[in-house]
Amino acid sequence: KRIEREEEEEEEALPLDMMDEDDLQLMKDLGQRASFLTRDLSSSEPVHAKKRKHERIIDKYEKIPRTLQTAPEKELIHLLPIKDKSGIIPQTREKPVTDSNKDEEDQEEERELEEEIIEDPIQELTIEEHLIERKKKLQEKKMHIAALASAILSDPENNIKKLKELRSMLMEQDPDVAVTVRKLVIVSLMELFKDITPSYKIRPLTEAEKSTKTRKETQKLREFEEGLVSQYKFYLENLEQMVKISEMCCEAVKKLFKQDKLGQASLGVIKVISGFVKGRNYEVRPEMLKTFLCLRIKEVEVKKDTEDINKPKKFMTFKEKRKSLSRMQRKWKKAEEKLERELREAEASESTEKKLKLHTETLNIVFVTYFRILKKAQRSPLLPAVLEGLAKFAHLINVEFFDDLLVVLHTLIESGDLSYQETLHCVQTAFHILSGQGDVLNIDPMKFYTHLYKTLFKLHAGATNEGVEIVLQCLDVMLTKRRKQVSQQRALAFIKRLCTLALHVLPNSSIGILATTRILMHTFPKTDLLLDSESQGSGVFLPELDEPEYCNAQNTALWELHALRRHYHPIVQRFAAHLIAGAPSEGSGALKPELSRRSATELFEAYSMAEMTFNPPVESSNPKIKGKFLQGDSFLNEDLNQLIKRYSSEVATESPLDFTKYLKTSLH
C-alpha cells in the first residue's frame, strides 16, 4: 500500500516538474490571491504576459475592435410562415422599440401621482355625510335633467340633439344615484315625447325625396322628424333591455328555488322579496310573487314519509353481542358499525329537522305576504298571483286560519271587483283548503258551488276560453275528490250544465269538459238517468235557476250529446258517442287508451288551438246540393210586394175606429 501511495504522489507531481520556474512561481502567487477564483478566465489577456515584452501598448490598442455610432439593430419577431405555390415564405415583424426617456418620464409622473395620493388620503365619510353627499349629487342631476327638458320643450327643432344627451343619462354609472337618475330620465323622456311628437304620421322618405333639393325650412323639419324617430326608437330599446333584465332576475330566483334542496338560500331570498314588497306598499309586478310557486316545500313531506318507511338500522347492544358473538366477532362487528356510522354521517349532510324548520319559517313569511295583500290591497294586480299561491300551498296553512280565510275569499267573490279568472282562483283556493286539513272542519262550501254553477256560462270561444283549464281543476277538487259530500242532485245539475257549455266553446275546451263529464258519470253511477228521455220524479227542469240543488236536473236529458256527435272535430265526436253509450270501459263504445288514460286538463292542453290549427286536422265538408238560394223579397209574390210597398209609403193618420160599418156590411 505504501508503494502504491508513493506512485500516486509521483503521478500528481509530474505536471509541476514539466513547468518552468517562472510559471510555477506565478501559479503560487495567484493561488495566494482570492481574485484568482473570481477572475474572468475567458478574457483574451494571456496568463504569462510578462514573458511577451516585445508587444507594445500601441499594438495592443490596435487589436481592440472598433465600435461605430450606428442605429441600434432592430429585433425581429418570427411569425408563422405562409405557404404558396413557390414554397414556404417566412414571416417576421419588427419588435417595437420603446423610448427609454419616455419610460423614465412616465415613471416619474407615476411616482408624483403616488406621492400626491399618499399625501391626500381618501377620507372615510360617516353615514350622515354620505347621505348629504348623495343628496347633493342627486340635486345636481335633477337640475341638469330639468335644464335639458326645458331647452327641448322651448325649441324642439333646434334642440333635438339635446334629446340624445338626456337619453345618454340612462347610462349613469355613479352607484350612489344611478338607479334614481335612470328612473327620472325615463319619466322625463316619456313626458317629452308626449309633448313634442307631432299629430301627423311621420313616414320614411323615399330615395327620390332624399335626392331632391328642398328649402331650408323643409330640410330642417325633416332632420327634426328623423332625429325624433331615431331617439324614440333608442328609447324603446332601452326600456326593452331594462324589462329583460327584470325577467332574467325572476328566472334566476326561480332556478334558485328549484335547485335549493336544503332551504337556507330560499329563506334568505324570501325575506328580501317580502321586505321589498312591503316597502313598496305592494306596488310591484306580479311576476315577483309568482316566483314563490317554485318553492320546494312539498318535498319535505315526501321525504319524511320515506324515512318513516325505511327506518334507520339499529345496532346490537353489548349484551346481545356478548351472548351471540365470540370475542373476535365482536371486534369485527364494532369496526363494521363504526364504518357504517361514518358513511351515514357523510351521506346525510343536514338533518330532516333542520330542513323542516327552514321550510316552516319560509312558509310563514310567504303566508304573511299573501295575507297582507288580501287584507290591504284587494284591488291590486298582485291578487291573481296571491290566489294562485294560496291554491298551491293551501294544504300547508294552519287550521286556525281556515274560517277567516274562507270568509275573505267569499267576500272578494261577492264584491264584484274581481275578474272572472280571479273569482275562479278564489273558488279553487277555497276547495284546496277544504280538501286537505279542512276535512275535519264542519264547513259547508255550498256558496262556492253556487257561484261556480251560475258563472259557467261566462266561458265561451273568445277571451275566456283559457279559464276553462281552471274550471276543470276546480271541478276535479269540488266534485270528484269530495264525492262523499256531494249530493246526486248537485252532480246531475253540473253534468247537465257542462254538456250545454260544451256546445259553445273551442274544441279543446269541449274535449276537456266531456272528459270531466265522463269521470263524473263514473263517480256518480246513478246519473245515467240523464241518458233516458223519460222524466224521473215530479217537477220541471229549470235551467235558468242558479241553485244546482233545486233546478230539478233529474227531469231533463242530455240532448246536447246528439248535437256534439255531429261536431266538426273528430275527438269531440268520439267523446259524445262514448257518453251516449253510457261511458263504457270495454266494448265497441269504449275510448282508446290514449284518450281514456289522460286527465281532462291534459286533454285540454294536448288539443289546444294556440297555433291556430286543428289537432288532428279537420276534413273540409263540401255541400252535396249546389243550388241557388232565394234572397230578400224573391220569396214573396209580385202582387204582394206591390201592396207592401204601397202601404209602407203611406203616411199614417189618426182616425177614430168605427167597426159598425163592417158589421152592417156583414149583416147584409
Side-chain angles (χ1 to χ4, degrees):
K1 290 182 181 179
R2 188 185 61 185
I3 295 170
E4 291 176 357
R5 193 180 300 115
E6 289 176 356
E7 290 177 356
E8 288 176 1
E9 289 176 358
E10 289 177 359
E11 290 176 359
E12 292 176 358
L14 283 176
L16 296 177
D17 297 336
M18 297 174 63
M19 295 177 64
D20 296 337
E21 293 181 358
D22 296 335
D23 295 335
L24 183 60
Q25 186 63 33
L26 179 62
M27 293 293 294
K28 290 180 180 180
D29 295 338
L30 290 175
Q32 293 176 359
R33 288 185 296 176
S35 60
F36 174 77
L37 301 175
T38 58
R39 187 173 60 86
D40 187 6
L41 299 178
S42 62
S43 60
S44 58
E45 185 177 359
V47 178
H48 14 272
K50 295 181 179 180
K51 292 180 66 176
R52 302 179 181 178
K53 297 179 180 179
H54 59 277
E55 292 183 0
R56 298 179 181 180
I57 299 175
I58 298 175
D59 297 336
K60 184 178 180 182
Y61 180 77
E62 289 294 334
K63 290 182 180 181
I64 297 175
R66 269 60 168 173
T67 57
L68 300 177
Q69 294 294 331
T70 58
E73 295 184 0
K74 296 181 179 179
E75 297 184 12
L76 297 178
I77 300 174
H78 296 278
L79 305 176
L80 293 175
I82 299 174
K83 186 176 181 181
D84 59 359
K85 295 180 180 180
S86 60
I88 298 175
I89 303 174
Q91 298 290 320
T92 57
R93 187 180 66 184
E94 294 181 359
K95 185 176 181 180
V97 181
T98 57
D99 192 354
S100 59
N101 296 330
K102 290 184 178 180
D103 292 342
E104 293 176 359
E105 293 176 359
D106 294 339
Q107 291 177 0
E108 291 178 0
E109 291 179 359
E110 290 178 0
R111 290 171 188 168
E112 292 176 358
L113 289 173
E114 289 177 358
E115 291 175 359
E116 292 178 359
I117 293 172
I118 294 171
E119 291 175 359
D120 300 328
I122 299 175
Q123 297 180 356
E124 294 184 359
L125 301 177
T126 62
I127 297 176
E128 292 79 7
E129 292 174 348
H130 187 76
L131 291 175
I132 294 171
E133 186 68 21
R134 180 184 180 278
K135 188 176 181 180
K136 184 179 178 181
K137 290 180 183 178
L138 194 59
Q139 189 63 28
E140 292 176 357
K141 297 293 182 180
K142 287 181 179 179
M143 295 299 296
H144 188 49
I145 293 171
L148 291 174
S150 301
I152 294 169
L153 286 175
S154 61
D155 191 0
E157 295 183 1
N158 292 327
N159 295 325
I160 192 65
K161 293 183 179 179
K162 292 188 177 181
L163 201 63
K164 180 180 179 181
E165 183 180 353
L166 180 60
R167 189 179 59 81
S168 65
M169 295 182 70
L170 289 173
M171 308 302 171
E172 179 64 41
Q173 300 297 328
D174 191 347
D176 291 339
V177 296
V179 177
T180 308
V181 169
R182 290 172 187 173
K183 291 179 181 178
L184 294 173
V185 172
I186 288 172
V187 177
S188 302
L189 285 172
M190 179 188 67
E191 296 296 333
L192 283 173
F193 283 122
K194 287 167 60 178
D195 291 337
I196 67 176
T197 302
S199 58
Y200 57 87
K201 182 180 179 180
I202 301 175
R203 62 174 180 83
L205 299 176
T206 61
E207 296 296 332
E209 290 175 341
K210 291 180 180 179
S211 59
T212 56
K213 293 183 179 180
T214 57
R215 294 183 300 173
K216 290 184 178 180
E217 293 80 5
T218 307
Q219 185 64 25
K220 189 176 181 180
L221 180 61
R222 287 181 177 178
E223 292 177 357
F224 166 72
E225 292 175 350
E226 290 180 359
L228 179 64
V229 171
S230 64
Q231 291 302 319
Y232 185 66
K233 177 185 176 183
F234 293 140
Y235 174 67
L236 293 179
E237 289 177 353
N238 290 333
L239 293 181
E240 185 180 5
Q241 291 296 327
M242 292 179 182
V243 171
K244 287 182 179 179
I245 292 168
S246 64
E247 291 178 358
M248 291 171 61
C249 291
C250 290
E251 292 299 324
V253 173
K254 289 180 181 179
K255 188 176 181 181
L256 172 66
F257 288 160
K258 291 177 181 178
Q259 296 180 354
D260 186 17
K261 296 180 180 180
L262 178 59
Q264 185 71 41
S266 299
L267 177 59
V269 175
I270 288 293
K271 287 181 179 179
V272 173
I273 294 177
S274 178
F276 182 79
V277 172
K278 184 180 178 182
R280 295 291 301 272
N281 197 18
Y282 311 104
E283 295 181 357
V284 296
R285 296 180 64 185
E287 288 77 9
M288 182 174 290
L289 289 185
K290 287 184 178 179
T291 57
F292 291 176
L293 301 176
C294 298
L295 287 169
R296 301 180 62 174
I297 303 298
K298 289 184 178 180
E299 292 186 359
V300 177
E301 302 296 329
V302 175
K303 190 168 185 180
K304 187 176 180 181
D305 295 339
T306 56
E307 287 179 357
D308 292 339
I309 295 170
N310 302 323
K311 294 183 179 180
K313 182 181 177 180
K314 292 183 179 179
F315 297 107
M316 296 176 66
T317 62
F318 179 75
K319 292 182 179 180
E320 293 174 349
K321 293 178 183 177
R322 192 169 185 178
K323 288 181 181 179
S324 59
L325 301 177
S326 64
R327 184 175 181 181
M328 185 59 66
Q329 288 176 339
R330 289 199 300 268
K331 189 175 181 181
W332 281 102
K333 191 69 177 178
K334 185 178 180 180
E336 183 182 350
E337 289 177 355
K338 182 180 179 182
L339 179 61
E340 192 170 350
R341 286 194 185 96
E342 291 177 355
L343 290 174
R344 185 173 297 178
E345 290 175 359
E347 291 176 358
S349 58
E350 294 292 337
S351 64
T352 307
E353 295 180 358
K354 187 175 181 180
K355 289 183 181 180
L356 185 61
K357 184 179 179 181
L358 291 172
H359 288 170
T360 304
E361 188 177 355
T362 302
L363 265 183
N364 289 337
I365 298 174
V366 170
F367 286 140
V368 166
T369 305
Y370 285 163
F371 294 155
R372 281 175 181 168
I373 295 173
L374 285 176
K375 184 179 180 181
K376 299 181 180 180
Q378 294 184 355
R379 297 186 179 182
S380 171
L382 301 176
L383 192 59
V386 171
L387 296 174
E388 192 175 355
L390 286 174
K392 180 174 181 180
F393 302 116
H395 62 286
L396 300 173
I397 300 176
N398 196 340
V399 182
E400 299 175 357
F401 300 110
F402 279 6
D403 289 334
D404 296 335
L405 187 56
L406 289 175
V407 171
V408 171
L409 294 174
H410 186 257
T411 306
L412 287 172
I413 292 174
E414 295 296 326
S415 65
D417 297 330
L418 305 182
S419 65
Y420 180 59
Q421 196 164 0
E422 290 172 354
T423 59
L424 291 178
H425 278 301
C426 287
V427 174
Q428 185 183 17
T429 304
F431 281 96
H432 273 292
I433 292 172
L434 296 175
S435 63
Q437 304 176 37
D439 287 337
V440 299
L441 302 177
N442 188 15
I443 299 175
D444 183 18
M446 186 61 199
K447 48 193 174 185
F448 294 104
Y449 281 102
T450 303
H451 174 76
L452 182 64
Y453 180 79
K454 71 180 181 182
T455 58
L456 278 178
F457 286 149
K458 289 186 178 181
L459 298 170
H460 51 74
T464 60
N465 185 70
E466 294 300 324
V468 175
E469 184 176 4
I470 306 175
V471 169
L472 297 177
Q473 296 172 359
C474 291
L475 291 171
D476 180 54
V477 180
M478 295 167 63
L479 300 175
T480 307
K481 294 182 179 179
R482 291 175 59 87
R483 59 176 67 90
K484 295 181 180 180
Q485 291 87 359
V486 177
S487 63
Q488 184 179 349
Q489 293 293 331
R490 197 180 304 175
L492 289 169
F494 270 98
I495 289 175
K496 175 62 179 176
R497 183 151 290 197
L498 286 174
C499 289
T500 308
L501 178 63
L503 291 172
H504 55 273
V505 290
L506 292 179
N508 63 326
S509 301
S510 298
I511 295 169
I513 291 171
L514 292 178
T516 302
T517 305
R518 175 179 177 270
I519 295 172
L520 293 177
M521 292 179 72
H522 287 169
T523 307
F524 304 94
K526 293 183 179 181
T527 56
D528 60 351
L529 59 89
L530 293 175
L531 301 175
D532 190 1
S533 59
E534 297 180 1
S535 61
Q536 300 288 331
S538 60
V540 180
F541 173 57
L542 302 174
E544 71 280 358
L545 194 65
D546 293 335
E547 294 291 337
E549 293 285 348
Y550 310 108
C551 65
N552 297 326
Q554 74 277 4
N555 297 320
T556 185
L558 300 179
W559 56 266
E560 297 89 354
L561 295 177
H562 293 277
L564 291 169
R565 195 175 184 180
R566 298 188 294 272
H567 198 275
Y568 59 86
H569 200 280
I571 305 300
V572 178
Q573 295 176 10
R574 293 180 193 174
F575 267 99
H578 171 70
L579 293 176
I580 290 173
S585 301
E586 298 177 352
S588 59
L591 291 174
K592 294 182 179 180
E594 61 266 17
L595 297 177
S596 61
R597 293 178 182 176
R598 289 185 179 182
S599 64
T601 308
E602 291 174 350
L603 290 170
F604 173 81
E605 295 176 354
Y607 295 97
S608 174
M609 297 183 61
E611 298 180 358
M612 302 304 291
T613 56
F614 289 109
N615 180 23
V618 177
E619 297 180 359
S620 59
S621 59
N622 297 323
K624 297 180 180 179
I625 302 174
K626 295 183 179 180
K628 295 182 178 179
F629 293 94
L630 299 176
Q631 297 179 354
D633 55 2
S634 57
F635 285 100
L636 304 177
N637 191 7
E638 186 176 355
D639 297 334
L640 183 58
N641 284 331
Q642 292 179 0
L643 186 63
I644 292 173
K645 289 179 181 178
R646 183 165 61 84
Y647 278 102
S648 61
S649 62
E650 292 181 358
V651 180
T653 57
E654 295 183 0
S655 58
L657 297 176
D658 186 8
F659 296 100
T660 56
K661 58 180 181 179
Y662 298 104
L663 182 60
K664 292 177 181 178
T665 306
S666 61
L667 289 175
H668 288 300

